[in-house]
Amino acid sequence: MSYQNATSELNVGSQPGPKNPQRTEGSTQYGDYGSALLENHLSVGDFVKIQSAFESPEPRQTVSMSREEFVQKMKEIIVWGTEKDYQELFDKVDVARDGFINWDKLTSFMLLELYEKDERAKATVVPQWKALEFLPVKHKDTIQKVIFLKSSSRYLTISKEGLLGIWGENLTLQETLPVTSDVTKLKHLWVTSLVSLENVNKIAVAFTSKEIYFYDLLSKEEFPCQYKLQGLKATPICMDYWYDPLDANESILSFGDITGKVQAISFTAALISLFERPPSACEDEDNTMTIDWAELLSGYHKCCYILEHKLHHGDWVRQVAYSASLDAIISSTTSNTNTVVLAWREKSKKHLKMTSFNISQGIHAFDYHSQLNLIATAGINNKVCLWNPYVVSEPVGVLWGHSASVIAVQFFAERKQLFSFSKDKVLRLWDIQHQLSIQRIACSFPKSQDFRCLFHFDEAHRRLFISFNNQLALLAMKSETSKRVKSHKKAVTCVLYNSIWKQVISSDTGSTVSFWMIDTGQKIRQFTGCHGNAEISTMALDVNETRLLTGSTDGTVKIWDFNGYCHHTLNVGQDGAVDISQILVLKKTILVTGWERYVMLHTKLTITVFRPQNFNQSFIQPEEWKGGVQHRDDILCVAFLPPQTLATGSYDGEIVLWNNSTENAHHALHPDYQRLLKSKLDAEPHKLLSADRNSSPTPTADQVTLRAYPSEVDTEGNNAVMRLCFLVARKNIAVTEGANLVSCGGSGYVRFWDTFKKQLLAEFLAHSGAGSIIMSIDKLNRYLVTGDLDGWVKVWNIEDYCLNSSQNKVTQPPPLIRSFQPHEDRISCLEMCELWGRSLIISSSADCSISVTDVCSSPIWSFGQAKHWQIENCISLPKRDTNLLESEIQEKSIRTIPLLSKEELCLDPTEHSLLDKKNKEDSTDNVRASEDINLGMKYKARNCRKKKTHKLYDGKVIQKTSSAFRSLTIGALKELPEVNKPAFLLDPEKYFQEEPEEECPQIPELPPLSETLKAVFDEKNLFPKEILDHERRAKQLCQETSGEVKLKRKKKQL
């Protein structure tokens, strides 16, 4: 039976079913599964008719139908279908056997049916894999663990000899570091396991020396050891770590040893400290603190307690894991008694109650799926068993198919599938619901018989890691084919709008930049290989929108013209790779923010500045930012408010306010506190201001209290500032004490700040449960657009939001105008633009698509779709009135337009950007294979006419010219006084009557030439005698000369 196309959908339209011959034969577009069911053939029109049949003439009353009434009614309104079909549908809806159904029961049944079929279709999707790839590891011994760090988007691998490998998200090996213990020498030391403590940014490493070391990932030093847990009774060989996402202070570190003992450390204040520091310990934060296991057992450390059991009776504990949904610690051995033990935590949380499974020959590994409530075990007897945690007598399912012992299992949680890997190097994928093997993979794995295998599936990135001793193989899942239009071949990272040319500029992770016409969606230009193979992380336009700046993960910013020529390369990362988060182009400087990876996982925060006086070379080095770096975490965004206010936001939630002229910071804002900053040369300590936002807006000196801001970094990014936007269009904010700065980011919150009073005025939850979000605001500060990790976009009306100060923080969100999902994956960038008096939203996503729509309910267009649109005709909303100030009108009228071709010679630029100073001869960088798409002379002529005349919102027309006049305003003409009509209008017959035609005299015909010729033509009568004599002598001379030449030739021959 095939379930590939089992997803049921409603047919759009209202055409009755039996007219389609395919329905009569029982095969439809939905596949074989359930094709004969009546509910699969009902269209939207059919459901509208059914709903009207259930409507009651009285308000708030529902109509219920019996079986006979329902069948009779359906035969009348649907027309097609048999009586038996309607009876079967009624029986399916009437689950309680009440004998009556209503509209609510029918819709509930249809929704549940669609959901179940969608789940069945998802569970039977067979993934496609890329070719097997072996990663270039530097491990000399068996690889013990592979983990992924979500906070830094890096992979960690560790081998038995104690070598730690750090990999980028693109699986490039960045660094290797030795991990050693002080107890034994390196040659006698084995590393047994590794876990990541994500909530506190640490990793824990277990050694054969009966120790567990805790390393801090955020320290400025090279990978320091913060805690040493010593005095264990046996060697820990497997570990697991869990923390509560709702309360990161609650976490559990569980491990099993070679004596069969399972132990767990339950932390209650992990964010503050894992262990209590002894009074005699050094005050230095980076000093290693030694913890004795006996101290933990005695209860000396109040911030944690111990749980343990010995039910495995001396057998090596092969795997251990804590399940939050079961509130139990699961462990396994290769023994056939007490093979799997579930240690349930009782209400006191400090005692365990054990249950166990007995599995013949034991198991190698297990995995638990919380939604299915199933434990899968990898049996030594070649079987994969599925267990209900509450039923220990026998498994609920057995998966047969492996011909060798199974050594690893792991659930594909999203699709409710299961991976299993056997000792004969065969990988299988199982459909759990039907307990069938849907895929078998036997790749060219290493041929060695004796090997230790590590199996790890990274579901978020669709990557499967399988290690064979010291080799690490990668099976990457191919991206699923989707019907969605793709604008780029790879994930889109940034999108910009050029208001001069009405073009959308986009970049992707493959270092490609594309140019699109916003009014039609047509691609007109594309640059490839702008930064080699490095990803373009961000882009920006210069002040005049004549140059494009691209920032890449290779640590450089390049400045391009629109013909694909690179004028300058700005070196941001002098010592190594830099993650560039944003580029801000000001009149006198270019600011680049981000973080530099310089030691393992630690980062060096950077604010890089470039000044115009250095733009006389192609390769430019940065200058020093005078104010230093006041942030304690990665800088993610930056915004500027004229004339001199600069704001930067970081991952820990701090917003630092700067004076752009002096480059000094003066305040740091945070949702929980604020602190007063000093310049870099000031040796005084930072003054910390209270975060009591309920106090008066203008506190006096006596009301200001000092307190220490939290020393722990926000490792979860709950307050991370992903975007900053100043509300530039709001005037007189200093007087009205309203909000002039908007921030968004972690946990889906949007916050409004008053930078003059250093006060948080409002915060509201824009996207619930969607993680971090990004935003954009239109130039008139009317609309706020937010996007989340699931591809959803929301439009908010903020025109009247937080215009004045209030005593209490506002938590009520502004009016929501629209909510829609233009993308299937994370929204990577949002941009708002004004076109024909309407506000448009441009969004890009990691699903490789770029979309455009307006703030209300217009359709969503995707760049790259086959059919181009005419956006001016599609948006039917009336143009809104916008009163622009004279200064804004003048600024628009003198704006520079770049010259790209002769056809576009409509305007001349009047001023140049600071980036135009470099000649093309000085540059050595060009992009590969620039792809240009001709639009034709018809389009260019139309575009040229549009550029000559710009209609403003108030109805005035500005005519741009290259003469001395900047603008010309033509007003309404005065009415002329009445004048007497001229005589030719009063008596038109007199002046315009037709005159009689006069007869033209006939012209006599000329006689023929033969009759008028008096003598025969002779040239002697035509030319003078002297000329004729001169010509005769010349002919004679020529004949004599030629005769002499012939005689000489004959003599020579003789």
Side-chain angles (χ1 to χ4, degrees):
M1 181 180 293
S2 173
Y3 294 90
Q4 288 292 331
N5 300 314
T7 304
S8 176
E9 298 176 0
L10 297 180
N11 299 322
V12 178
S14 59
Q15 298 299 325
K19 293 183 180 180
N20 188 347
Q22 292 184 354
R23 296 193 181 201
T24 321
E25 298 170 6
S27 62
T28 69
Q29 59 177 331
Y30 303 112
D32 300 333
Y33 180 82
S35 58
L37 300 179
L38 174 68
E39 54 267 26
N40 288 344
H41 306 306
L42 294 175
S43 66
V44 175
D46 295 333
F47 278 101
V48 173
K49 295 177 182 178
I50 297 173
Q51 183 183 14
S52 62
F54 278 100
E55 291 179 351
S56 173
E58 298 181 4
R60 298 182 180 179
Q61 295 291 330
T62 58
V63 175
S64 297
M65 296 184 186
S66 63
R67 195 168 189 261
E68 292 75 15
E69 292 174 345
F70 178 76
V71 173
Q72 184 63 29
K73 204 71 174 178
M74 292 302 103
K75 291 171 65 176
E76 293 176 0
I77 61 177
I78 303 299
V79 180
W80 59 272
T82 64
E83 183 176 348
K84 183 180 178 181
D85 292 336
Y86 296 122
Q87 291 174 351
E88 291 178 354
L89 177 59
F90 181 91
D91 294 337
K92 292 176 184 177
V93 177
D94 187 18
V95 180
R97 295 295 183 264
D98 297 330
F100 294 91
I101 65 171
N102 55 23
W103 175 247
D104 292 338
K105 288 185 178 181
L106 180 62
T107 53
S108 299
F109 166 76
M110 291 304 303
L111 291 174
L112 183 61
E113 186 77 7
L114 292 174
Y115 172 77
E116 290 178 350
K117 290 183 178 181
D118 184 57
E119 290 295 312
R120 284 195 293 267
K122 188 186 298 183
T124 54
V125 172
V126 179
Q128 302 298 319
W129 302 91
K130 299 179 182 179
L132 182 68
E133 178 185 359
F134 282 89
L135 301 180
V137 298
K138 294 186 179 180
H139 297 291
K140 302 297 177 57
D141 210 333
T142 304
I143 298 175
Q144 301 284 53
K145 201 68 175 287
V146 177
I147 61 174
F148 179 72
L149 301 178
K150 296 180 182 179
S151 59
S152 57
S153 298
R154 289 175 176 83
Y155 292 92
L156 297 183
T157 59
I158 197 165
S159 55
K160 186 185 292 186
E161 81 273 16
L163 188 65
L164 182 71
I166 299 99
W167 304 76
E169 193 173 8
N170 57 354
L171 294 178
T172 56
L173 184 61
Q174 296 180 345
E175 194 173 359
T176 56
L177 292 173
V179 179
T180 59
S181 171
D182 298 335
V183 177
T184 57
K185 294 182 180 179
L186 185 60
K187 63 180 181 179
H188 301 299
L189 173 69
W190 280 1
V191 172
T192 58
S193 186
L194 166 73
V195 290
S196 169
L197 285 64
E198 287 278 350
N199 59 329
V200 292
N201 277 300
K202 295 177 177 59
I203 61 172
V205 182
F207 297 93
T208 53
S209 57
K210 304 177 184 179
E211 296 173 314
I212 299 178
Y213 280 27
F214 296 84
Y215 296 91
D216 188 10
L217 301 181
L218 295 181
S219 177
K220 298 179 181 179
E221 297 183 1
E222 291 190 4
F223 200 51
C225 176
Q226 190 171 6
Y227 301 106
K228 293 181 183 179
L229 179 56
Q230 298 178 345
L232 298 176
K233 302 301 180 183
T235 299
I237 57 175
C238 58
M239 290 195 302
D240 178 71
Y241 185 78
W242 168 89
Y243 72 93
D244 188 352
L246 301 178
D247 183 9
N249 281 308
E250 298 289 335
S251 57
I252 295 177
L253 173 66
S254 54
F255 55 93
D257 59 27
I258 60 176
T259 63
K261 185 181 294 186
V262 175
Q263 298 162 312
I265 307 175
S266 180
F267 300 100
T268 58
L271 295 181
I272 300 175
S273 179
L274 294 179
F275 306 100
E276 293 185 5
R277 183 176 294 272
S280 59
C282 181
E283 294 299 329
D284 185 6
E285 292 184 0
D286 295 330
N287 184 43
T288 303
M289 185 169 67
T290 302
I291 308 297
D292 191 80
W293 180 252
E295 294 179 356
L296 295 179
L297 291 176
S298 65
Y300 172 79
H301 296 268
K302 304 300 181 182
C303 56
C304 61
Y305 57 90
I306 304 300
L307 300 170
E308 60 181 1
H309 72 82
K310 304 178 182 178
L311 201 60
H312 290 295
H313 302 302
D315 297 314
W316 284 28
V317 181
R318 299 293 180 177
Q319 186 178 349
V320 64
Y322 173 77
S323 170
S325 59
L326 297 176
D327 198 10
I329 302 172
I330 311 173
S331 56
S332 67
T333 66
T334 55
S335 174
N336 55 5
T337 58
N338 295 332
T339 309
V340 178
V341 174
L342 284 82
W344 309 82
R345 299 174 70 190
E346 296 184 346
K347 290 185 178 180
S348 63
K349 302 294 185 181
K350 296 186 179 181
H351 296 87
L352 300 175
K353 180 181 179 181
M354 272 73 70
T355 59
S356 63
F357 304 151
N358 296 327
I359 303 175
S360 176
Q361 301 181 30
I363 65 172
H364 283 116
F366 69 87
D367 195 19
Y368 174 69
H369 195 297
S370 59
Q371 294 181 356
L372 298 176
N373 195 28
L374 288 176
I375 298 176
T377 57
I380 299 177
N381 56 2
N382 307 350
K383 294 186 294 185
V384 177
C385 296
L386 303 175
W387 301 81
N388 186 322
Y390 303 100
V391 180
V392 300
S393 57
E394 61 182 7
V396 296
V398 179
L399 307 180
W400 301 82
H402 284 288
S403 56
S405 63
V406 186
I407 58 178
V409 288
Q410 187 171 346
F411 279 104
F412 193 167
E414 180 186 357
R415 296 183 179 177
K416 297 178 182 178
Q417 297 172 343
L418 178 69
F419 288 103
S420 63
F421 189 71
S422 58
K423 205 164 186 177
D424 57 356
K425 302 165 187 173
V426 173
L427 175 67
R428 285 186 180 272
L429 182 63
W430 305 84
D431 175 13
I432 298 301
Q433 183 174 2
H434 301 94
Q435 299 183 12
L436 296 174
S437 175
I438 61 176
Q439 191 174 38
R440 179 184 182 274
I441 301 175
C443 300
S444 55
F445 296 120
K447 302 297 182 182
S448 61
Q449 295 295 327
D450 186 17
F451 66 93
R452 188 184 185 281
C453 174
L454 171 71
F455 189 90
H456 175 71
F457 178 60
D458 181 11
E459 187 169 341
H461 295 84
R462 301 291 199 269
R463 291 169 177 170
L464 181 61
F465 298 91
I466 306 176
S467 71
F468 301 90
N469 296 331
N470 66 332
Q471 293 180 297
L472 185 61
L474 169 66
L475 268 176
M477 193 180 296
K478 293 181 179 179
S479 57
E480 298 177 6
T481 57
S482 175
K483 295 181 180 179
R484 178 176 289 274
V485 176
K486 291 187 176 181
S487 311
H488 283 251
K489 293 182 179 179
K490 296 188 177 182
V492 184
T493 57
C494 187
V495 64
L496 299 174
Y497 177 68
N498 189 318
S499 60
I500 299 296
W501 299 112
K502 295 181 175 61
Q503 294 177 2
V504 175
I505 309 171
S506 58
S507 63
D508 62 17
T509 57
S511 200
T512 299
V513 176
S514 299
F515 297 78
W516 314 79
M517 297 304 301
I518 192 172
D519 51 355
T520 62
Q522 183 177 1
K523 184 192 289 187
I524 58 172
R525 192 177 295 110
Q526 179 172 296
F527 305 152
T528 59
C530 295
H531 289 262
N533 296 323
E535 170 187 340
I536 297 177
S537 57
T538 186
M539 297 190 299
L541 291 170
D542 71 336
V543 178
N544 298 321
E545 300 187 19
T546 59
R547 291 289 185 266
L548 175 67
L549 290 82
T550 58
S552 172
T553 54
D554 61 2
T556 62
V557 174
K558 293 186 178 182
I559 302 175
W560 310 82
D561 59 22
F562 292 152
N563 292 320
Y565 188 83
C566 179
H567 291 260
H568 306 282
T569 299
L570 314 182
N571 183 25
V572 181
Q574 298 180 350
D575 302 326
V578 172
D579 287 337
I580 299 174
S581 59
Q582 190 173 344
I583 304 171
L584 182 64
V585 182
L586 303 177
K587 290 184 178 180
K588 296 183 179 181
T589 57
I590 298 177
L591 294 180
V592 182
T593 61
W595 56 95
E596 182 177 350
R597 300 186 298 270
Y598 73 106
V599 176
M600 215 272 292
L601 303 176
H602 321 306
T603 57
K604 176 183 178 182
L605 315 179
T606 61
I607 299 180
T608 309
V609 59
F610 298 89
R611 308 187 193 280
Q613 58 265 26
N614 296 332
F615 280 57
N616 53 5
Q617 299 176 357
S618 60
F619 196 80
I620 301 170
Q621 297 292 343
E623 292 189 13
E624 180 185 3
W625 179 254
K626 300 176 183 177
V629 179
Q630 300 289 347
H631 287 281
R632 298 173 296 160
D633 211 333
D634 300 339
I635 303 174
L636 303 180
C637 55
V638 61
F640 179 72
L641 176 66
Q644 59 188 14
T645 303
L646 188 73
T648 55
S650 61
Y651 186 80
D652 59 0
E654 277 196 346
I655 300 173
V656 176
L657 302 178
W658 307 76
N659 185 314
N660 185 55
S661 301
T662 61
E663 299 182 2
N664 285 328
H666 51 85
H667 271 88
L669 306 179
H670 190 275
D672 299 327
Y673 61 87
Q674 60 172 282
R675 56 192 178 104
L676 183 65
L677 301 177
K678 295 295 183 180
S679 64
K680 192 172 74 169
L681 300 179
D682 197 342
E684 295 182 6
H686 297 329
K687 294 183 180 180
L688 307 174
L689 302 182
S690 173
D692 186 6
R693 291 185 291 270
N694 295 327
S695 59
S696 60
T698 57
T700 61
D702 296 332
Q703 293 174 324
V704 176
T705 59
L706 299 178
R707 69 175 180 88
Y709 55 88
S711 58
E712 288 291 332
V713 181
D714 179 18
T715 58
E716 290 300 309
N718 295 325
N719 295 318
V721 183
M722 304 301 296
R723 293 291 187 275
L724 284 172
C725 292
F726 275 106
L727 303 176
V728 182
R730 292 190 175 185
K731 307 299 181 182
N732 301 323
I733 286 296
V735 178
T736 61
E737 299 181 352
N740 66 338
L741 176 64
V742 186
S743 67
C744 75
S747 302
Y749 276 90
V750 176
R751 296 180 172 91
F752 284 71
W753 306 82
D754 180 6
T755 59
F756 296 101
K757 300 297 182 181
K758 315 299 182 295
Q759 184 181 6
L760 176 62
L761 298 182
E763 67 176 4
F764 65 92
L765 184 60
H767 296 257
S768 177
S772 64
I773 62 174
I774 61 173
M775 69 174 180
S776 181
I777 298 177
D778 67 317
K779 292 183 179 180
L780 298 177
N781 302 156
R782 290 190 170 201
Y783 305 109
L784 165 70
V785 182
T786 57
D788 61 22
L789 300 178
D790 296 327
W792 280 89
V793 173
K794 293 185 179 181
V795 185
W796 312 82
N797 186 351
I798 62 169
E799 187 174 8
D800 300 323
Y801 192 72
C802 285
L803 292 179
N804 300 293
S805 178
S806 61
Q807 293 293 332
N808 299 322
K809 181 179 63 177
V810 178
T811 57
Q812 184 72 20
L816 179 63
I817 299 176
R818 186 182 181 189
S819 177
F820 57 98
Q821 188 180 18
H823 303 284
E824 296 176 347
D825 205 341
R826 170 180 58 88
I827 303 291
S828 59
C829 191
L830 288 171
E831 183 83 357
M832 292 200 70
C833 64
E834 297 289 329
L835 193 65
W836 300 303
R838 303 177 180 94
S839 296
L840 300 182
I841 304 169
I842 308 169
S843 61
S844 64
S845 170
D847 65 0
C848 309
S849 65
I850 308 168
S851 299
V852 61
T853 185
D854 74 335
V855 296
C856 294
S857 57
S858 292
I860 302 172
W861 299 278
S862 296
F863 290 93
Q865 65 186 43
K867 185 179 180 180
H868 295 159
W869 61 77
Q870 291 294 333
I871 198 170
E872 186 175 8
N873 301 328
C874 294
I875 300 179
S876 58
L877 297 175
K879 293 186 179 181
R880 57 181 173 85
D881 264 344
T882 306
N883 297 323
L884 295 180
L885 299 177
E886 291 183 1
S887 59
E888 293 174 338
I889 298 175
Q890 186 177 3
E891 181 182 354
K892 284 179 176 288
S893 66
I894 64 174
R895 201 168 190 180
T896 306
I897 293 187
L899 304 178
L900 296 183
S901 61
K902 293 182 179 179
E903 291 83 357
E904 297 166 346
L905 275 172
C906 305
L907 300 172
D908 292 333
T910 58
E911 59 184 27
H912 297 279
S913 168
L914 60 91
L915 307 179
D916 293 334
K917 294 183 178 181
K918 182 72 184 70
N919 294 327
K920 292 185 178 181
E921 290 78 5
D922 298 334
S923 177
T924 57
D925 249 340
N926 285 286
V927 293
R928 302 192 310 266
S930 175
E931 177 187 347
D932 290 330
I933 301 174
N934 296 324
L935 300 180
M937 295 301 297
K938 183 178 179 180
Y939 178 85
K940 292 186 177 181
R942 179 170 63 89
N943 194 32
C944 190
R945 288 195 300 272
K946 285 185 178 181
K947 290 169 188 170
K948 289 181 180 179
T949 305
H950 293 258
K951 294 184 178 180
L952 298 183
Y953 301 141
D954 57 0
K956 296 182 180 180
V957 178
I958 292 181
Q959 189 75 18
K960 294 191 176 182
T961 177
S962 57
S963 65
F965 295 100
R966 293 296 181 93
S967 63
L968 178 63
T969 302
I970 302 176
L973 298 177
K974 296 181 179 179
E975 294 183 0
L976 297 177
E978 293 184 2
V979 295
N980 297 327
K981 294 183 179 180
F984 65 84
L985 292 178
L986 298 175
D987 191 7
E989 295 181 357
K990 177 181 178 181
Y991 292 91
F992 302 106
Q993 63 181 357
E994 297 181 358
E995 297 180 358
E997 296 182 358
E998 297 180 358
E999 296 183 358
C1000 298
Q1002 294 184 354
I1003 301 175
E1005 295 183 358
L1006 297 176
L1009 182 63
S1010 58
E1011 296 178 2
T1012 59
L1013 190 62
K1014 296 180 179 181
V1016 179
F1017 174 76
D1018 187 6
E1019 64 177 5
K1020 293 181 180 180
N1021 299 328
L1022 183 64
F1023 297 102
K1025 181 180 179 182
E1026 292 81 4
I1027 296 177
L1028 295 176
D1029 292 342
H1030 182 270
E1031 182 180 1
R1032 179 176 51 81
R1033 287 195 298 271
K1035 289 181 179 180
Q1036 291 178 356
L1037 180 60
C1038 182
Q1039 291 176 357
E1040 293 175 357
T1041 306
S1042 60
E1044 294 177 357
V1045 171
K1046 290 179 180 180
L1047 291 175
K1048 291 181 179 180
R1049 288 179 179 175
K1050 289 180 180 180
K1051 290 180 180 180
K1052 288 182 179 180
Q1053 290 177 357
L1054 296 175

